[in-house]
Amino acid sequence: MAETTAERSRAASAPAPLPDPARWTCPAPLRDHPRIVMGHGGGGALSAELVEHVFAPAFGGETLSALADSATVTLGGARIAFSTDTFVVRPLFFPGGSIGDLAVNGTVNDLAMSGARPAYLSCGFVLEEGVETSVVGRVAEALGTAARTAGVEVATGDTKVVESGRGDGIYLNTSGIGLVPEGVDIRPQRAEPGDVVIVSGPIGLHGIAVLSLREGLEFGAEIESDCAALPGLVAAMLEVTPDLHVLRDPTRGGVAAALGEIAAAAQVGVVVRERALPVPEPVAAACAMLGLDPMYVANEGKLVAFVPRDRADEVLAAMRAHPLGAGATIVGECVTDHPGMVVARTGLGGTRVVDLPVGEQLPRIC
């Protein structure tokens, strides 16, 4: 039977059906996703939930519960920092570095964030069947050179090969140990109101460098990764005072994730001045073009420091005297308000909440 005018009018005015969440497709997946998704490796809220609800209950232990970049343990009377990291970056070589450089610098930087002097690394190669031996050799050479530059020795290692199509050329795992000097106690829980927040230099370079090569994008200027070993910079800071409260290298999830994790661990508020953040012009242009926030873009040669206010100027001067801290900048402070939360003061005088990322803006960048 033909549809009447009245029926057509009622149909047009009826409310649209509600969307079905089960059919959504989004790079930031639903929080109760029943399977592992890329966001679980992004260093944000999904990563934290995986650790909190799966790994921590399974492993237990007081040392793990600190959830620092590296664990600090006492063995034979010595305080030892111990860390491990796995690298799955694509592509293997990028402007300013390679997966070999990342494997060394990422682990020695994690050790340095506890104030340790890195000493030894282990290295595990997972190779995909069919990868060129010359490529493996280039990665190994880069790794060895980076280790010598960082002043550490690769003391042991392992190699595994997986079938063609079951890997991505090369995956690397490095673990490292180092000695923590007496009197040094650097951990996220030590942040306190009044602390000054310092970023050691321009942010966002690593993530944008990898993305630009991977996707064939150009942003008007070549952007190179900031991949570098930070123990020397940390040593210069410790010479000023051993009482550095917190150090963090803002890798996955960027500065935003690092600050959010520290605020949550210490239950303090953090206020950041957006205009003080050292964002290089090419990174700012790339982020504007792609709809990214530079606070969430990964870095591989920068650190965030929480320093007592009365030593902040001296620490900042020591950082700026070091090649890897020449661009160090005070970007904010710890406050008693909004504990566990990071907020940014915008250039227009407003305030916005800086949440932990749910997933990740840029996958496979470290």
Side-chain angles (χ1 to χ4, degrees):
M1 182 164 49
E3 185 179 39
T4 67
T5 301
E7 289 171 333
R8 285 195 297 271
S9 177
R10 285 194 297 272
S13 62
L18 294 174
D20 178 8
R23 301 181 64 184
W24 288 351
T25 301
C26 176
L30 299 179
R31 301 293 283 275
D32 60 349
H33 204 288
R35 299 179 185 273
I36 295 297
V37 295
M38 290 299 294
H40 283 111
L46 284 178
S47 294
E49 290 176 3
L50 189 64
V51 171
E52 179 183 355
H53 298 297
V54 177
F55 297 135
F59 302 156
E62 184 177 339
T63 303
L64 180 64
S65 65
L67 297 180
D69 282 340
S70 61
T72 300
V73 298
T74 301
L75 186 64
R79 293 179 68 216
I80 296 174
F82 180 31
S83 184
T84 189
D85 209 340
T86 303
F87 300 87
V88 295
V89 65
R90 179 173 60 85
L92 299 176
F93 302 90
F94 47 83
S98 71
I99 191 172
D101 300 282
L102 282 178
V104 171
N105 295 337
T107 296
V108 300
N109 289 349
D110 282 348
L111 295 172
M113 295 308 103
S114 64
R117 302 185 186 108
Y120 296 100
L121 296 180
S122 71
C123 180
F125 276 76
V126 179
L127 307 176
E128 182 182 11
E129 180 185 23
V131 67
E132 295 88 346
T133 306
S134 61
V135 172
V136 179
R138 287 177 62 196
V139 171
E141 285 291 335
L143 192 152
T145 299
R148 289 186 288 274
T149 300
V152 295
E153 181 182 346
V154 179
T156 187
D158 184 44
T159 304
K160 293 291 188 295
V161 177
V162 298
E163 298 90 340
S164 178
R166 299 294 182 89
D168 197 14
I170 300 174
Y171 297 150
L172 285 177
N173 172 273
T174 47
S175 297
I177 57 173
L179 290 175
V180 180
E182 188 175 351
V184 172
D185 181 19
I186 301 174
R187 49 193 170 88
Q189 294 79 7
R190 290 201 64 211
E192 61 183 45
D195 281 354
V196 171
V197 180
I198 303 174
V199 172
S200 65
I203 64 173
L205 291 165
H206 175 71
I208 298 301
V210 173
L211 176 69
S212 64
L213 180 61
R214 181 190 300 171
E215 305 299 337
L217 301 175
E218 296 184 3
F219 303 110
E222 184 176 3
I223 302 175
E224 289 194 356
S225 170
D226 60 342
C227 186
L230 297 173
L233 175 60
V234 173
M237 298 166 68
L238 288 171
E239 286 182 8
V240 174
T241 174
D243 190 30
L244 303 177
H245 287 174
V246 188
L247 297 176
R248 200 78 162 196
D249 58 335
T251 53
R252 296 176 304 167
V255 170
L259 294 178
E261 291 167 356
I262 294 166
Q267 280 302 293
V268 296
V270 177
V271 177
V272 177
R273 298 184 300 278
E274 272 192 337
R275 285 189 173 178
L277 289 166
V279 182
E281 183 57 37
V283 171
C287 288
M289 180 187 301
L290 300 170
L292 304 176
D293 185 336
M295 285 190 70
Y296 292 90
V297 179
N299 312 269
E300 287 293 345
K302 300 297 184 296
L303 62 80
V304 174
F306 283 58
V307 181
R309 185 175 298 277
D310 61 347
R311 306 308 299 269
D313 289 341
E314 296 172 83
V315 171
L316 184 64
M319 294 175 73
R320 288 176 172 174
H322 190 279
L324 295 179
T329 305
I330 294 175
V331 299
E333 61 184 344
C334 273
V335 297
T336 55
D337 297 336
H338 49 79
M341 182 183 297
V342 180
V343 301
R345 290 179 179 157
T346 69
L348 298 176
T351 302
R352 67 181 180 94
V353 174
V354 181
D355 283 326
L356 277 177
V358 175
E360 60 184 339
Q361 293 187 119
L362 307 174
R364 301 290 302 280
I365 44 100
C366 62

